[in-house]
Amino acid sequence: MKKILVNTDKHQYDIHSLFKAFLGNEDVKVITEPNDDESFYAVIEIKSVNKSDLSDEGNVTVRLEDGTESEYKYLDEFNNGQSSISTNGEKADKPDTSKNAVKKAIYTALCKSTGKELPWGNLTGIRPTRIAMNLIDKGQSDEEIAQYMKDTYFVSDEKIKLSTFIARREKEILKNIDYLNGYSLYIGIPFCPTTCLYCSFTSYPIGAHKNIVDDYISCLEKEIDYVAENFKGKTLDTIYVGGGTPTTLEPHQIERLLGYVRDKLDISGVKELTVESGRPDSITREKLAAMKKMGVSRISVNPQTMRDETLKLIGRRHTVSQLIDSFNMAREEGFDNINMDIILGLPGETADDVRYTMEEIRKLSPDDLTVHSLAIKRGSKLYEVIHEKEMKGELKVPLFESINNTEEMMRIAYDGALEMGLEPYYLYRQKNISGNFENTGYARKGKAGIYNILINEEVQSIVALGAGTVTKRVFGGGRIERCDNVKDVALYMNNIDEMIERKKILFNL
Ligand code: SF4
């Protein structure tokens, strides 16, 4: 455990995230009130600005246990909280905010001490494309955006290029959609063939829950009735059925659910209807035909890796050959927009495995590819299972060397996607993401998932139905309010009226 002492309770989330990004698997704790005998990996002092003295500067110092020091000044109270460019130890033309000064001081000290730099610099947020987007909106050129991201956040050239490219592509894709006045619909199906060991979603094995699926759909229909009543006159732009694995539903259940959506809602403005068909072991020709009949325009068939032994290790319970059969079947049924998800940093996998996966995926030629970075936390179910296998000598690569995504793997995936004719169109980061990288969606021209951009950039209200889903109301001007549906499927079904009531309150604010 690395303890960080800070003299105020400001910016604790950013401080914690930045130390975690450098220290990886180490636990990090930020402390403001130390015990007498405690020792600290880092001590941070934030001196506030004296508001009655207009020439006063704020100051941040970071001292690490190995003697490394870093110091930054700031003047944010006089700058209305506008972040801008500063240089270490000097008063700048445009002063920093205290938050930027804290992040710069920590980042500089940790770079010196560890000899490491992070691809996203000191950015701790999950939507780095937002920065580029805001600057594009202000009319800044790519060069000006690059300079700003470098000076303020120390982002690498490669990631600056990626986020600027994506921000411009997103703007182009959304340019004809009146997203603030429309809405999108998310429908969650919380059932899967089996539960993958790394799963962090709401998921119940379908085998043990088959008997409640029809009642679950009845609850979704109640929520759809609410949407039909309350969103009259608004354009429904995209529909996304996710989970879970929606293709655990039987063909007649798929038709029932999507038929209800089509009957009750005005779908004349819908630009995309996605159904995640993630697990190949849940896909049948009849289900594909049912989805096609109901107007599904985009599906995902997810390999995660093209190595059978890794699939077994992470509890996916399907084979690569099943994946290939399902993908080909979807093409035969007429699907011309198929997404695939892969994960980098899977246990036991090396850069060569990623290269192999990309080569095999290239043969299938998907229209859209999402590259995720997996973070396996100590103590998680997957970690424990893999650790046990390592103890038995069943791993080809030691666990600690293999649970991190690397720059080489990211490069292989990036180059591989471009070689398939796919270009990046959205990205997001997660807390504790492996290698401090990002998840990136790539797609062919005209095949990018619009819903993915809308939800990721938080520019449109998304009404979410089903257990464990989160509805977001986007007001514009940066204001966003949320309401949750409970995760537990039985609780959701027993309290469906309350779930609807929560939405009513949110949309009547
Ligand atoms: S398929 Fe996805 S949602 Fe289902 S158990 Fe696996 S990771 Fe979780």
Side-chain angles (χ1 to χ4, degrees):
M1 157 93 67
K2 301 283 192 196
K3 292 185 195 170
I4 318 295
L5 178 64
V6 191
N7 67 332
T8 97
D9 55 7
K10 277 175 151 185
H11 313 307
Q12 290 211 7
Y13 173 81
D14 295 283
I15 293 169
H16 184 267
S17 302
L18 211 42
F19 276 95
K20 268 302 277 180
F22 272 92
L23 301 173
N25 287 325
E26 290 271 4
D27 286 331
V28 170
K29 191 169 179 191
V30 179
I31 290 168
T32 51
E33 286 173 16
N35 295 323
D36 288 346
D37 53 349
E38 266 181 309
S39 60
F40 296 94
Y41 175 70
V43 177
I44 300 174
E45 276 180 54
I46 304 174
K47 175 193 162 293
S48 301
V49 174
N50 176 359
K51 290 183 181 175
S52 60
D53 177 359
L54 287 179
S55 66
D56 192 32
E57 290 174 329
N59 189 50
V60 180
T61 54
V62 173
R63 285 184 198 89
L64 302 185
E65 66 180 1
D66 66 1
T68 309
E69 284 195 26
S70 175
E71 182 179 359
Y72 274 82
K73 295 182 188 304
Y74 70 94
L75 287 167
D76 63 343
E77 277 80 359
F78 305 120
N79 197 29
N80 292 327
Q82 298 287 311
S83 64
S84 53
I85 302 162
S86 177
T87 47
N88 192 1
E90 290 172 17
K91 190 170 171 181
D93 296 341
K94 291 179 180 178
D96 265 335
T97 60
S98 63
K99 178 169 156 178
N100 276 355
V102 166
K103 288 167 75 174
K104 282 179 166 183
I106 294 171
Y107 186 79
T108 310
L110 286 169
C111 282
K112 271 194 236 164
S113 171
T114 63
K116 262 201 316 195
E117 287 184 2
L118 301 178
W120 288 102
N122 66 28
L123 282 177
T124 46
I126 61 170
R127 294 183 180 86
T129 43
R130 276 276 177 82
I131 297 164
M133 269 216 173
N134 290 339
L135 296 174
I136 290 170
D137 285 341
K138 287 180 184 157
Q140 296 215 358
S141 67
D142 284 6
E143 291 69 32
E144 287 169 316
I145 296 169
Q147 196 62 52
Y148 178 79
M149 290 181 77
K150 221 181 177 68
D151 290 343
T152 312
Y153 306 114
F154 308 120
V155 179
S156 69
D157 291 342
E158 195 184 2
K159 298 302 178 197
I160 289 173
K161 213 171 126 199
L162 179 66
S163 49
T164 313
F165 180 90
I166 287 176
R168 291 203 184 277
R169 193 170 177 203
E170 285 182 331
K171 287 190 95 54
E172 180 61 28
I173 291 166
L174 297 185
K175 79 172 183 231
N176 295 322
I177 300 176
D178 182 13
Y179 44 79
L180 252 187
N181 291 312
Y183 73 105
S184 283
L185 189 68
Y186 178 86
I187 302 176
I189 307 294
F191 310 109
C192 287
T194 55
T195 306
C196 307
L197 290 176
Y198 59 89
C199 185
S200 57
F201 305 102
T202 306
S203 165
Y204 296 86
I206 187 71
H209 294 83
K210 263 203 172 330
N211 57 340
I212 63 163
V213 175
D214 284 320
D215 290 342
Y216 182 78
I217 295 175
S218 299
C219 291
L220 292 175
E221 288 173 347
K222 270 193 155 192
E223 291 212 83
I224 293 166
D225 289 341
Y226 155 77
V227 178
E229 187 59 34
N230 288 269
F231 287 77
K232 261 187 209 140
K234 281 204 172 268
T235 304
L236 175 55
D237 286 309
T238 70
I239 304 171
Y240 194 101
V241 187
T245 306
T247 37
T248 48
L249 300 186
E250 295 300 329
H252 70 275
Q253 292 168 329
I254 292 172
E255 285 196 28
R256 175 184 160 193
L257 176 62
L258 295 180
Y260 203 81
V261 169
R262 293 175 71 102
D263 286 350
K264 296 285 172 173
L265 305 179
D266 177 1
I267 58 158
S268 58
V270 170
K271 291 135 197 88
E272 174 185 280
L273 198 180
T274 301
V275 175
E276 277 183 8
S277 320
R279 287 272 293 261
D281 45 344
S282 69
I283 299 175
T284 64
R285 195 172 289 280
E286 294 69 31
K287 292 179 189 181
L288 289 165
M291 289 193 284
K292 197 72 200 161
K293 183 174 155 196
M294 301 318 292
V296 174
S297 59
R298 185 173 175 273
I299 61 169
S300 37
V301 180
N302 299 332
Q304 311 306 4
T305 168
M306 294 298 262
R307 291 285 194 206
D308 273 327
E309 56 189 285
T310 314
L311 288 174
K312 232 193 217 161
L313 202 60
I314 60 175
R316 285 281 290 186
R317 305 269 183 90
H318 64 81
T319 61
V320 171
S321 107
Q322 256 177 317
L323 176 278
I324 295 170
D325 289 347
S326 300
F327 186 93
N328 289 335
M329 212 195 294
R331 284 286 194 231
E332 284 159 22
E333 290 300 316
F335 285 97
D336 62 1
N337 192 353
I338 307 181
N339 165 257
M340 286 185 146
D341 277 8
I342 62 164
I343 301 175
L344 307 185
L346 286 170
E349 291 214 338
T350 62
D352 280 344
D353 295 305
V354 175
R355 202 169 283 116
Y356 175 81
T357 288
M358 292 305 289
E359 280 162 11
E360 292 303 297
I361 286 178
R362 189 181 179 171
K363 292 178 192 162
L364 296 169
S365 191
D367 308 283
D368 188 317
L369 178 76
T370 314
V371 179
H372 295 272
S373 298
L374 180 72
I376 306 176
K377 290 181 204 132
R378 270 176 212 257
S380 68
K381 201 167 157 196
L382 179 56
Y383 183 95
E384 294 307 329
V385 169
I386 294 167
H387 184 57
E388 205 183 306
K389 286 187 186 292
E390 185 177 40
M391 293 295 104
K392 290 184 193 159
E394 290 174 16
L395 286 192
K396 68 173 181 184
V397 182
L399 177 58
F400 285 107
E401 284 176 27
S402 70
I403 57 171
N404 265 322
N405 186 7
T406 64
E407 216 164 325
E408 189 187 4
M409 291 180 183
M410 291 293 284
R411 165 65 50 198
I412 293 166
Y414 179 81
D415 290 346
L418 296 196
E419 278 163 24
M420 286 182 228
L422 312 177
E423 289 193 322
Y425 75 95
Y426 80 103
L427 76 80
Y428 64 98
R429 303 173 69 222
Q430 285 163 294
K431 214 169 174 239
N432 298 328
I433 196 165
S434 176
N436 197 38
F437 292 110
E438 67 278 342
N439 301 323
T440 308
Y442 299 83
R444 267 181 229 302
K445 238 184 162 75
K447 297 290 170 80
I450 300 167
Y451 174 88
N452 289 337
I453 301 175
L454 292 171
I455 190 160
N456 193 46
E457 293 301 337
E458 294 187 311
V459 290
Q460 180 169 71
S461 294
I462 308 232
V463 187
L465 322 180
T469 62
V470 180
T471 294
K472 273 188 205 171
R473 180 174 177 192
V474 174
F475 289 83
R479 184 177 164 208
I480 295 167
E481 303 279 345
R482 296 171 170 77
C483 78
D484 299 7
N485 277 356
V486 289
K487 285 189 174 170
D488 185 277
V489 72
L491 264 184
Y492 163 77
M493 289 166 67
N494 289 336
N495 295 283
I496 187 63
D497 293 336
E498 192 204 321
M499 302 299 108
I500 293 169
E501 202 51 44
R502 289 181 187 186
K503 285 187 184 58
K504 280 186 187 160
I505 293 168
L506 178 68
F507 285 98
N508 286 335
L509 282 177

